[in-house]
Amino acid sequence: VVDAALINTILSSGTARANATSVTVGQVRIFASPKSAWEVTTAGTTAAAQPTITGKAVGQTVTDGTAVFTRIL
């Protein structure tokens, strides 16, 4: 059972992804478009702009600058 209120709380209160920012493994960032939660799986520095994440499902990854994120929500 999916708790929509819990999902909205996570997406509303999480730390937003920021441009050109150092991230470490295990941190969670909220990407803006589409709004979704991503965990850092390879540490690095994010790019100057958010990468395209449209169509990425939970469990898929995206490279953002030198960091790699895995979608968790």
Side-chain angles (χ1 to χ4, degrees):
V1 176
V2 175
D3 184 337
L6 177 59
I7 290 172
N8 286 333
T9 298
I10 292 167
L11 293 177
S12 303
S13 63
T15 301
R17 179 213 169 270
N19 295 337
T21 301
S22 182
V23 292
T24 59
V25 172
Q27 291 181 321
V28 174
R29 295 292 180 260
I30 307 303
F31 281 47
S33 182
K35 198 162 194 179
S36 49
W38 295 76
E39 181 177 2
V40 178
T41 49
T42 301
T45 301
T46 59
Q50 177 182 302
T52 300
I53 57 170
T54 302
K56 294 280 189 180
V58 170
Q60 290 187 298
T61 62
V62 67
T63 299
D64 182 359
T66 60
V68 177
F69 288 84
T70 300
R71 186 170 182 176
I72 59 171
L73 183 66

